[in-house]
Amino acid sequence: MKKPALPDEILLKIEKPARYIGNEINIVEKDPAGADIRFAMCFPDVYEIGMSHLGMKILYDMFNRRKDVYCERVFSPWPDLHRIMKEQDIPLFALESQEPLERFDFIGMTLQYEMCYTNILQILDLSHIPLAAAERTEGMPFVIGGGPCTYNPEPVAEFFDLFYIGEGEISYDALFDLYKQAKKEGWTRREFLIRSASIPGIYVPSLYDVSYQEDGTVADMKPNVPGVPETVRKQIVADFSSPVFPEKPVVPYIKITQDRVVLEIMRGCIRGCRFCQAGQIYRPAREKDLETLKRDADNLLKNTGYDEISLTSLSSSDYSKLGALVEYLIENYKDKGVNISLPSLRIDAFSLDVMGKVQDIRKSSLTFAPEAGSQRMRDVINKGLTEDVIVHGAGLAFEGGWQKVKLYFMLGLPYETDEDRRAIAELANQIAVRYYEIPKEKRNGKCQITISTSFFIPKPFTPFQWAKMHGKDDYAGFARTVSEAVKAQLNRRSMKYNWHETDVSVLEGVFARADRKVSKAIRYAYEDGALFDSWSEFYDHSRWQRAFEKAGIDMDFYTVRERREDERFPWDFIDTGVTKEYLLREWKKAAQAQTSQNCRGQCQGCGAAGFGGGVCYENQD
């Protein structure tokens, strides 16, 4: 057992010291001196959030399967420990070896959510590593970012030496082999970065120069070194059954957010919702082989001791072997006290039948995301659901024993009106009406409908990337419209309404759509005390207002401004396989409230077929 990096007197002063001492079940222990490459896998949020992230678990397992790599975990210290580490100049350390990060070769950051950007700087600051990549010298770790936020890495480009664009199972081996060659042959830091840029999926910001138009939009982005590619192509696993899945994930000693075994059944989505970034950047949709999933489930449950397994994907209902997989898990594990969790299901007879088999209906609530209240708006966003389908599905659920329903919607969508917002409450009322049509003796208590709204953020690589956002006052007004409409409904006592914070949504929109200039504001905000901005108790919008003012940046430029059709976006240098022409077609269809079929119904020619595999491959003649 490694000696903790923090002395007992500090561990006794902080909340949940188990976040920092390591030694959990199934951790990987190696001799650091025997590894050619030391990789610190960092999640810029608290331990309980980071330990729930599947992508981090996959890479931790994959990297440590190499004998020449020792991958260890790092999470953002909670503010209580952050303060002590700053006061006593204690360097940030990895959990496995308890050694400082400045001794590592790579610091890998998982960029899952834009509101964690100041935590990136926290990790670098506490590690005694210069925040700006340009200030790092020979012998310092290389800082590499990966995850969904890297599909627009520009707002944090100043802080990273490299980014990995796409799914991590593909190109990391090539990067590690190149680094070993660099060490053996004595390359400079810059020489390694230049050669890294030739590896598919690797983006090195320092090797590109950005120019701007007079109006502040991006004019061009060009490599400043010969031979560096002008575009960076995302990496995907074409045969999704081929990568090795973690058999022995680390089991924490404290409860984490997703405290269960997670089994990834498919990647990508066939649905084509126009607001959804994940549904576009993870194309094409790819399923994992049923026998592979059975084997993985057996190994995970045996090696962790968990009593719950979650079958995860963007749209689990679309996994073609879902019924067979659930039957296998029920047959082998239901009598052993293992619960089966099924997020991301659609409300239809098949899904409700499956849920009825695996859930305690009296304890569970049915979660459903219509996203918009009116049929016109559901057509605008290409949700592919009618009111009849929604109400009928809810009715089937009620007849099956459910009485608690959670409904998720977005406000501020393109072409949305007050009538569309009031329709949210009306749809919820129709669902409640359907419940009370069931004879009283067959009902399972009082109907409970929870309506939650978030605010629309136009993300890169979606058909709505041309759309504008609204200001925070507009968003607050939209929420009031829904709230008043809920109060006016006949079944208002069966409804509860929650909405997202407006300030956070506006800032998230800036980070999602911004260019390199915004990095100054992020740094100023961190220096002013911004940290854990994704946590409402720590978020202070006044800090960000001061930071953007100091940086001379108008936040509205990135949010309330609608984009021209021919505008060059900061993220246009990335090739996701989904073409800009396809996205623009879908944006124009949204204006006419015209829908598009899902990938299995009819190929829409998005471009993802160029990657091979998945639905695209199956539908080729």
Side-chain angles (χ1 to χ4, degrees), residues 278-536:
Q280 302 293 341
I281 63 176
Y282 294 126
R283 287 187 175 208
R286 292 146 288 149
E287 295 190 350
K288 187 164 284 189
D289 176 73
L290 178 60
E291 294 306 313
T292 301
L293 288 172
K294 291 178 181 179
R295 181 199 66 208
D296 289 344
D298 293 340
N299 288 331
L300 288 166
L301 291 167
K302 177 182 70 176
N303 294 326
T304 63
Y306 275 118
D307 60 2
E308 183 173 352
I309 183 168
S310 176
L311 309 182
T312 185
S313 73
L314 292 175
S315 181
S316 300
S317 300
D318 294 320
Y319 177 60
S320 62
K321 305 291 195 308
L322 182 63
L325 178 59
V326 169
E327 289 294 339
Y328 173 82
L329 294 173
I330 291 173
E331 182 179 336
N332 287 273
Y333 293 104
K334 198 71 184 288
D335 291 342
K336 298 177 182 177
V338 175
N339 295 318
I340 303 167
S341 173
L342 286 160
S344 306
L345 287 177
R346 297 167 73 85
I347 291 188
D348 55 33
F350 167 71
S351 298
L352 291 167
D353 178 62
V354 170
M355 283 188 285
K357 293 177 181 177
V358 302
Q359 291 185 7
D360 183 339
I361 294 171
R362 291 184 178 273
K363 294 181 180 179
S364 66
S365 60
L366 188 71
T367 301
F368 186 45
E371 307 293 0
S374 71
Q375 187 59 52
R376 186 186 71 85
M377 277 309 304
R378 286 192 295 276
D379 290 344
V380 166
I381 65 177
N382 203 42
K383 185 64 182 177
L385 289 171
T386 65
E387 181 174 311
D388 287 345
V389 169
I390 295 168
V391 175
H392 178 69
L396 291 175
F398 294 146
E399 290 170 358
W402 277 276
Q403 97 279 11
K404 293 182 284 188
V405 177
K406 295 179 181 178
L407 300 173
Y408 289 95
F409 300 89
M410 280 186 291
L411 292 176
L413 287 159
Y415 312 113
E416 181 184 278
T417 66
D418 272 347
E419 183 179 350
D420 298 313
R421 295 170 198 125
R422 286 190 286 268
I424 291 173
E426 293 162 5
L427 178 61
N429 187 68
Q430 288 301 313
I431 292 173
V433 168
R434 179 66 185 86
Y435 180 79
Y436 290 113
E437 288 175 350
I438 298 172
K440 189 172 184 179
E441 64 274 11
K442 295 183 179 180
R443 297 178 203 158
N444 189 13
K446 181 184 176 183
C447 179
Q448 301 174 38
I449 300 176
T450 302
I451 305 165
S452 295
T453 58
S454 61
F455 297 115
F456 164 70
I457 296 170
K459 292 293 182 85
F461 297 108
T462 68
F464 285 172
Q465 64 182 347
W466 284 274
K468 67 177 182 179
M469 287 183 65
H470 296 272
K472 67 175 185 178
D473 292 338
D474 293 325
Y475 283 139
F478 298 162
R480 284 195 298 271
T481 298
V482 177
S483 180
E484 291 166 1
V486 168
K487 293 174 183 176
Q489 297 305 311
L490 180 65
N491 292 289
R492 59 187 175 275
R493 292 185 179 179
S494 296
M495 302 180 199
K496 179 183 178 182
Y497 177 46
N498 304 315
W499 64 90
H500 202 259
E501 297 164 356
T502 57
D503 287 335
V504 173
S505 296
V506 171
L507 186 59
E508 182 184 343
V510 172
F511 291 155
R513 298 158 69 81
D515 49 43
R516 292 188 180 187
K517 291 177 285 188
V518 164
S519 60
K520 289 183 181 179
I522 296 172
R523 184 165 187 164
Y524 291 150
Y526 174 71
E527 292 169 348
D528 193 24
L531 196 62
F532 285 100
D533 293 295
S534 61
W535 295 74
S536 58

Side-chain angles (χ1 to χ4, degrees), residues 105-349:
D105 299 291
F106 289 92
I107 295 178
M109 301 271 193
T110 299
L111 307 184
Q112 191 69 20
Y113 180 36
E114 292 90 348
M115 297 309 297
C116 292
Y117 282 172
T118 51
N119 286 60
I120 294 169
L121 303 191
Q122 175 207 32
I123 288 172
L124 297 175
D125 184 21
L126 293 179
S127 302
H128 299 163
I129 295 169
L131 301 186
E135 298 170 6
R136 295 174 200 141
T137 57
E138 303 297 332
M140 290 185 177
F142 289 94
V143 181
I144 181 168
C149 292
T150 61
Y151 284 89
N152 180 20
E154 293 303 274
V156 289
E158 176 188 334
F159 313 122
F160 285 86
D161 298 294
L162 314 93
F163 289 97
Y164 183 110
I165 312 296
E167 297 171 0
E169 293 96 332
I170 302 300
S171 290
Y172 266 112
D173 282 335
L175 184 67
F176 291 157
D177 291 343
L178 187 71
Y179 182 72
K180 287 175 65 177
Q181 182 183 352
K183 287 207 302 184
K184 182 179 179 181
E185 298 179 5
W187 299 352
T188 64
R189 187 178 187 88
R190 181 167 173 80
E191 186 174 3
F192 171 70
L193 290 173
I194 291 172
R195 297 203 187 191
S196 297
S198 65
I199 297 174
I202 298 297
Y203 166 52
V204 182
S206 63
L207 304 183
Y208 296 79
D209 293 330
V210 182
S211 58
Y212 296 91
Q213 307 275 11
E214 288 186 7
D215 63 1
T217 59
V218 173
D220 205 358
M221 181 175 179
K222 291 286 187 182
N224 54 38
V225 173
V228 172
E230 292 196 6
T231 60
V232 179
R233 186 168 171 82
K234 79 171 182 184
Q235 300 301 290
I236 73 159
V237 180
D239 178 5
F240 189 44
S241 297
S242 62
V244 177
F245 199 73
E247 294 181 0
K248 296 183 177 182
V250 177
V251 181
Y253 289 126
I254 60 175
K255 186 174 180 61
I256 61 175
T257 306
Q258 300 292 331
D259 206 22
R260 59 186 67 89
V261 162
V262 178
L263 188 63
E264 189 180 19
I265 61 177
M266 63 182 290
R267 276 188 195 164
C269 182
I270 65 171
R271 295 291 163 182
C273 298
R274 292 174 179 138
F275 60 85
C276 180
Q277 185 186 53
Q280 302 293 341
I281 63 176
Y282 294 126
R283 287 187 175 208
R286 292 146 288 149
E287 295 190 350
K288 187 164 284 189
D289 176 73
L290 178 60
E291 294 306 313
T292 301
L293 288 172
K294 291 178 181 179
R295 181 199 66 208
D296 289 344
D298 293 340
N299 288 331
L300 288 166
L301 291 167
K302 177 182 70 176
N303 294 326
T304 63
Y306 275 118
D307 60 2
E308 183 173 352
I309 183 168
S310 176
L311 309 182
T312 185
S313 73
L314 292 175
S315 181
S316 300
S317 300
D318 294 320
Y319 177 60
S320 62
K321 305 291 195 308
L322 182 63
L325 178 59
V326 169
E327 289 294 339
Y328 173 82
L329 294 173
I330 291 173
E331 182 179 336
N332 287 273
Y333 293 104
K334 198 71 184 288
D335 291 342
K336 298 177 182 177
V338 175
N339 295 318
I340 303 167
S341 173
L342 286 160
S344 306
L345 287 177
R346 297 167 73 85
I347 291 188
D348 55 33

